[in-house]
Amino acid sequence: MFDDDESRFAVVRNDRGQYSIWPDGTTAPAGWSQAGFTGLRADCLAHIAQVWTDLRPAPREGD
């Protein structure tokens, strides 16, 4: 499913600032929310490469 170049995906983001893709039109997994970009797999991954330049997770509150 996630390796299908013709399927549409949504870019999702968690509370630590990490990004991923999720099948478009489905509910994001717990702890993740829509990041405002949808498209083909390659387009979503290119968008993530542009916006997620620091791959270190943000510290959790209390860390």
Side-chain angles (χ1 to χ4, degrees), residues 1-4 11 15 17-18 20 26-30 34 36 38 40 42 46 48 54-56 62:
M1 171 191 310
F2 286 93
D3 59 352
D4 183 356
V11 175
D15 64 341
Q18 298 168 307
S20 189
T26 63
T27 303
Q34 300 286 335
T38 60
L40 296 177
I48 290 170
D54 183 354
L55 300 182
R56 294 173 295 175

Side-chain angles (χ1 to χ4, degrees), residues 47-61:
H47 176 76
I48 290 170
Q50 285 183 323
V51 299
W52 191 19
T53 56
D54 183 354
L55 300 182
R56 294 173 295 175
R60 293 185 194 266
E61 191 171 312

Side-chain angles (χ1 to χ4, degrees), residues 1-3 9-12 19-24 29 32 40-45 48:
M1 171 191 310
F2 286 93
D3 59 352
F9 291 90
V11 175
V12 294
Y19 287 84
S20 189
I21 59 173
W22 197 252
D24 192 25
W32 296 81
L40 296 177
R41 180 179 180 273
D43 297 330
C44 289
L45 294 176
I48 290 170

